[in-house]
Amino acid sequence: MNPLSVSVLAALFIFIGGVTVLIMLEMTGRVRDNAGKAGLILAHRILGYLFLSLFVLILLFMIRKVAGFQEELTPRAVIHIVLALTLIPLLLIKVLVVRRLPQLSAKLPLLGITIFVFSFGLTGITAGYYVLHRSNLTYTTLSAHDNDVLDMELGKAVVNKKCAKCHSLERVYRAYKSDDGWAGTVNKMALLDSPNITSFDVKQALNYLVEQQKKRQAKRPAGLENDIGKSLVSRKCSVCHNLDRVFGARKNIKQWTSTVGRMVTTMDDPDFLSEQEKTDIIAFLSRREAIE
Ligand code: HEC
Ligand code: HEC
């Protein structure tokens, strides 16, 4: 589940909570004929359980997210977590009263409203922050006069701190991209996490990632290319068939390019091979042909 679908779930959560409370007010606030009331009770119950399921779903997602978090939490995050935890006993008490303790049912509307108020605060404290801090982020690239502000240490700090929020850093450091490719990716990520990644962060991260990749590439001695290609083939190409199929084939560089391209299409996973890994595999497989 990505952060966007959580926002959608959270909006749905508040909406359903609101409707459930309105129905409850309608039921208790007015003296009505019993026939109309039965429908309202049913609607209230269905929506109530939907509300509860959404809460559990979002909670599970959040627990997974927090589990990977090593930084100090912001005060906003702390309030958010406290509100979420408070909701758990409130919801349990509500279900308990409804199911087991009918004598207490006069207290239910108050409990329902409390739950809704807490949910609203819970969602609002985060949603409000994002709405108020919406940055007018524009596509940021590096230009010559940025050299004065660019700093590798700062770039490293930005990447390690801000790029590990939604996926591992391994995903970042594994990628090989052209300078424009990095600009595209980092801008896309900044947009996904707006307003937390500013234009300044984009510049620092971009500078660091491009330089870092140059260093990584320079470190690879020529002989090592073979080893990299070989280990990539044994890791990546044995997912669907055994390696005999790969090593048994005789192809030139053009044919390997086409075969590896077809395998990537079959795998249908954008993260299966980066451009650099593809190049390494093709180079290894076709060089092997020349050696033998
Ligand atoms: C708000 C969550 C979020 C943050 C923060 C984030 N990413 Fe991502 N990132 C994603 C998602 C979602 C995907 C997968 C979807 C995609 O590929 O577009 C992804 C995919 C990637 C990929 C693989 C896809 C590609 O285009 O190569 C790279 C590399 C990457 N992110 C780098 C970064 C960097 C660098 C940063 C920090 C500047 C960062 N991410 C911060 C959500 C995030
Ligand atoms: C997603 C599963 C999958 C992965 C991963 C995969 N293959 Fe394949 N491969 C297939 C299938 C299916 C066939 C048979 C159909 C075909 O040839 O397209 C095949 C056939 C082959 C063949 C024999 C056909 C030919 O064109 O000579 C070779 C060689 C081959 N694969 C090499 C590779 C290499 C190299 C890799 C790693 C980059 C790889 N495969 C990774 C699924 C996969």
Side-chain angles (χ1 to χ4, degrees):
M1 202 157 41
N2 64 38
L4 199 71
S5 43
V6 173
S7 320
V8 173
L9 282 186
L12 202 64
F13 175 68
I14 286 302
F15 178 74
I16 291 176
V19 174
T20 315
V21 166
L22 283 180
I23 291 178
M24 185 264 308
L25 289 176
E26 182 77 17
M27 279 192 306
T28 46
R30 287 195 201 181
V31 190
R32 276 268 189 99
D33 55 315
N34 274 349
K37 220 167 176 180
L40 284 181
I41 291 179
L42 184 66
H44 180 81
R45 178 171 301 164
I46 294 176
L47 288 176
Y49 280 110
L50 205 59
F51 183 77
L52 197 62
S53 324
L54 276 176
F55 177 71
V56 172
L57 195 67
I58 298 175
L59 197 66
L60 286 179
F61 172 78
M62 290 300 167
I63 289 174
R64 249 189 52 191
K65 191 171 137 183
V66 172
F69 210 77
Q70 287 150 3
E71 296 287 327
E72 194 78 26
L73 292 171
T74 60
R76 180 171 53 88
V78 172
I79 300 177
H80 186 86
I81 291 172
V82 169
L83 284 174
L85 294 179
T86 319
L87 268 178
I88 299 175
L90 285 177
L91 284 165
L92 286 177
I93 294 172
K94 169 104 208 251
V95 173
L96 190 74
V97 170
V98 171
R99 299 264 101 192
R100 291 281 164 92
L101 308 166
Q103 315 91 291
L104 291 177
S105 63
K107 303 270 189 298
L108 281 176
L110 197 62
L111 196 52
I113 290 174
T114 312
I115 290 176
F116 181 65
V117 169
F118 273 78
S119 318
F120 203 82
L122 173 69
T123 319
I125 190 169
T126 302
Y129 169 80
Y130 280 95
V131 170
L132 290 175
H133 289 76
R134 180 122 36 117
S135 64
N136 41 354
L137 200 66
T138 48
Y139 196 89
T140 308
T141 51
L142 294 178
S143 57
H145 56 256
D146 287 326
N147 283 337
D148 298 339
V149 294
L150 292 177
D151 180 273
M152 286 289 272
E153 281 306 311
L154 206 57
K156 185 176 178 179
V158 168
V159 170
N160 290 349
K161 197 162 164 212
K162 303 210 167 175
C163 304
K165 180 172 165 187
C166 314
H167 45 64
S168 67
L169 280 176
E170 196 229 329
R171 180 135 185 205
V172 177
Y173 289 123
R174 193 180 59 186
Y176 277 90
K177 291 172 188 293
S178 63
D179 295 5
D180 287 345
W182 275 118
T185 301
V186 176
N187 276 285
K188 194 163 91 184
M189 299 300 142
L191 207 59
L192 275 178
D193 201 26
S194 164
N196 290 333
I197 301 176
T198 62
S199 296
F200 183 74
D201 292 338
V202 170
K203 281 186 198 246
Q204 299 295 351
L206 207 50
N207 174 53
Y208 175 69
L209 288 167
V210 168
E211 292 302 321
Q212 173 69 20
Q213 175 175 314
K214 271 189 209 144
K215 266 196 214 156
R216 266 187 294 162
Q217 267 166 328
K219 265 198 218 136
R220 294 145 52 112
L224 206 76
E225 304 263 290
N226 261 328
D227 295 343
I228 291 177
K230 194 170 180 176
S231 89
L232 275 172
V233 168
S234 44
R235 265 189 302 134
K236 302 275 189 168
C237 306
S238 55
V239 181
C240 313
H241 45 65
N242 64 29
L243 287 174
D244 293 349
R245 186 129 190 201
V246 180
F247 289 121
R250 298 269 165 272
K251 295 172 194 292
N252 61 28
I253 190 162
K254 220 171 131 196
Q255 291 163 324
W256 275 122
T257 306
S258 130
T259 302
V260 171
R262 208 173 66 242
M263 298 304 136
V264 170
T265 316
T266 312
M267 190 68 182
D268 197 22
D269 172 359
D271 291 331
F272 176 48
L273 292 179
S274 68
E275 283 307 315
Q276 183 66 45
E277 289 173 333
K278 240 189 276 183
T279 312
D280 285 341
I281 287 179
I282 293 166
F284 165 70
L285 287 171
S286 41
R287 211 167 19 224
R288 192 182 52 108
E289 221 44 39
I291 298 163
E292 282 164 357

